[in-house]
Amino acid sequence: MKPSLPWQEQLDIIDRTMRALSLITDPEELVNSYWEGIADLVPVRDFLSVSRRGIEAPHYLVTRSSRFTEDINPWTDREKLPRMSGGIAGEVLYANRPVYIENLPARLQKDDPAYFYLEGFKSAIALPQYDQGEGLNCTLLLVTPDYDVDLNLMPMMYWHGSLFGRSTQNLVLRNQLSEALARLDAELQAVGEIQRSLLPAELPSIRGVELSAFYQSSTRAGGDYYDVFDLGNGHFGFFIADVSGHGTPAAVLMAIIRTLAHTLSDSHECPVEFLNRLNARLVHAYSAQGAFITAFYGVLNEKTRELAYAVAGHNPPRLVRDGVIREIGENSELPLGILEGQAYRSARIQLLPGDLLLLYTDGITEAMPAAVGKAPRELLGTQRLDAALLSIAKCSAESCIRAVCAAVDAHCKGAAPSDDQTMLAIKIR
């Protein structure tokens, strides 16, 4: 056995190896680099690694060997690994503790399933790697006849090897988690694309009225919804809704609301009847898990410019008229999906040339910057929203949307939205 290196040289080798290992993300590359990096520190060059992870006793897999004639990645090519049962390798693996075999030739039989991997060595040191208290993996360090191993080194090697095995398994789990999250994100992205396809591809043309809309979900998919219905005879329905919560559950319920809204087309002419029927369907079939939906629905008479509307707990729309902003929605009742038999109330307002009506969800007024230490985070609020609406030099539906988006961006300082944000602007010429 060659003499040990000076301690400073050993530390330098370990330091270089650990730095290199910290950059590796592939578990197989990690294992190979580990053994290459400490080759000058460990006198044993030959080994046999076996595993019973996911294998029914008494079977096991040979995962690595210095005598492998083919480079097999045990993480990706598991089906290529030799499968065995019994013999010395199986004995030490299922022993669930470290094992030292001083005279390996005396123990090794020619019918041993791992004979090819163990023949020619004088001793073996079996070091298990535990997972949940069970030695699911085991590495046998194989000593050739020309080496005398200092067994005093073995406890520290066992300690290091076990910690390294644990870190390797953690890396595998991390990669598996990353892959699962990537698949989930791809699925959520697909959900989001499907959801956005449910929104109006284009807004209808209404004589004397400008329309503009904005939609941004806080995650891949969200629970906001808006729509504009051409009811015929110069009447148009404006619908905006906000499902409680975020993500996929809210997106699914949003899709249900869209389906129900189009299914109940025979009630579109009457805002109260529309919300009453929508609420009844949601209470009976879709809101059992505590979800609820705020909504505003209004019907505009293109000729008279009168807007009849009903409100289910939704943010009061902002009406900009002659430089003054007022809220509409004093007839608001409970959100949809909460109370069976909830009766919604109708209200009417006469819109005038120059009026701007903004329908929006609470993701706009509740937008806030990212947390910085313990500093308080202020919501955008209705005051800043109103200031943005009054700052528009040429008030149009599109400029209204742009101004509010700019106000939100400036207030949030680039922070990602914490809630879905939706707006529908209606400008009367």
Side-chain angles (χ1 to χ4, degrees):
M1 174 180 178
K2 65 180 181 180
S4 299
L5 296 172
W7 68 269
Q8 184 60 57
E9 191 171 341
Q10 294 185 46
L11 286 180
D12 290 342
I13 292 173
I14 293 173
D15 182 65
R16 289 195 304 270
T17 301
M18 293 303 108
R19 288 177 185 270
L21 293 180
S22 70
L23 302 174
I24 296 174
T25 58
D26 178 74
E28 181 65 6
E29 183 183 351
L30 185 71
V31 172
N32 293 334
S33 297
Y34 173 79
W35 286 107
E36 290 174 5
I38 65 170
D40 291 330
L41 303 177
V42 180
V44 178
R45 297 292 183 271
D46 294 284
F47 61 90
L48 172 66
S49 295
V50 289
S51 174
R52 59 186 174 108
R53 186 183 299 277
I55 304 294
E56 185 177 351
H59 299 281
Y60 57 91
L61 297 178
V62 176
T63 55
R64 289 183 179 83
S65 170
S66 51
R67 289 183 172 176
F68 266 0
T69 57
E70 179 185 359
D71 186 15
I72 303 176
N73 187 322
W75 314 105
T76 60
D77 300 322
R78 191 174 174 85
E79 71 283 352
K80 295 181 180 180
L81 298 174
R83 182 185 178 98
M84 299 180 177
S85 174
I88 290 177
E91 176 186 332
V92 298
L93 174 62
Y94 282 95
N96 222 30
R97 57 181 175 81
V99 176
Y100 174 49
I101 303 177
E102 184 175 7
N103 189 351
L104 182 59
R107 294 276 308 277
L108 183 64
Q109 302 295 319
K110 288 191 175 182
D111 61 352
D112 190 297
Y115 183 84
F116 169 76
Y117 304 103
L118 300 175
E119 189 270 333
F121 299 103
K122 74 173 183 179
S123 61
I125 304 167
L127 305 177
Q129 285 131 31
Y130 294 104
D131 192 345
Q132 300 294 312
E134 291 293 319
L136 300 184
N137 301 302
C138 184
T139 297
L140 288 83
L141 302 179
L142 303 172
V143 183
T144 55
D146 55 330
Y147 269 105
D148 291 322
V149 175
D150 183 358
L151 294 180
N152 290 322
L153 296 177
M154 291 305 103
M156 189 56 66
M157 290 179 59
Y158 179 34
W159 180 271
H160 289 170
S162 295
L163 292 178
F164 178 73
R166 182 73 263 177
S167 66
T168 304
Q169 183 60 25
N170 287 341
L171 179 59
V172 172
L173 294 176
R174 190 191 75 173
N175 290 347
Q176 291 174 344
L177 178 60
S178 296
E179 292 171 1
L181 290 176
R183 290 192 297 270
L184 179 60
D185 186 66
E187 292 177 3
L188 290 177
Q189 187 170 358
V191 170
E193 292 172 356
I194 293 172
Q195 181 195 37
R196 281 183 285 277
S197 72
L198 299 178
L199 299 173
E202 59 182 25
L203 298 174
S205 176
I206 305 176
R207 180 170 53 87
V209 177
E210 295 177 7
L211 299 178
S212 185
F214 172 82
Y215 170 84
Q216 181 178 0
S217 61
S218 60
T219 57
R220 290 295 193 186
D224 281 4
Y225 174 61
Y226 73 90
D227 215 334
V228 181
F229 306 113
D230 186 348
L231 309 180
N233 299 320
H235 288 75
F236 294 86
F238 297 91
F239 185 46
I240 189 169
D242 181 1
V243 178
S244 61
H246 312 288
T248 305
V252 171
L253 190 50
M254 173 272 201
I256 291 172
I257 291 169
R258 193 260 187 194
T259 300
L260 291 176
H262 283 259
T263 302
L264 301 174
S265 58
D266 58 334
S267 62
H268 283 176
E269 290 280 357
C270 177
V272 167
E273 182 183 357
F274 177 68
L275 291 190
N276 284 342
R277 292 181 62 186
L278 190 56
N279 179 68
R281 297 288 294 274
L282 290 169
V283 167
H284 279 289
Y286 303 108
S287 316
Q289 302 304 318
F292 60 87
I293 304 94
T294 67
F296 174 96
Y297 181 63
V299 175
L300 176 69
N301 186 317
E302 180 185 44
K303 189 174 297 185
T304 66
R305 308 295 171 82
E306 182 181 61
L307 179 73
Y309 61 90
V311 189
H314 199 75
N315 300 79
R318 321 306 286 175
L319 175 63
V320 185
R321 176 179 291 172
D322 298 328
V324 178
I325 296 181
R326 58 172 287 197
E327 293 181 347
I328 70 171
E330 65 282 352
N331 59 327
S332 182
E333 298 290 350
L334 287 175
L336 304 169
I338 294 179
L339 181 64
E340 183 176 2
Q342 171 67 53
Y344 294 94
R345 296 180 293 144
S346 179
R348 295 176 181 272
I349 185 171
Q350 181 64 50
L351 298 180
L352 305 175
D355 283 355
L356 173 70
L357 184 65
L358 178 67
L359 314 181
Y360 64 95
T361 60
D362 61 10
I364 298 295
T365 50
E366 294 181 2
M368 67 179 105
V372 180
K374 295 183 178 180
R377 302 166 68 195
E378 291 188 18
L379 303 178
L380 179 75
T382 55
Q383 288 187 347
R384 291 186 180 89
L385 173 59
D386 291 348
L389 294 176
L390 294 176
S391 69
I392 307 170
K394 182 182 178 182
C395 185
S396 66
E398 185 176 350
S399 63
C400 163
I401 297 295
R402 286 202 304 267
V404 175
C405 286
V408 170
D409 290 341
H411 177 70
C412 294
K413 299 180 175 65
S418 58
D419 195 5
D420 308 324
Q421 299 175 351
T422 302
M423 293 183 284
L424 180 59
I426 305 167
K427 171 70 176 182
I428 306 299
R429 298 197 191 100

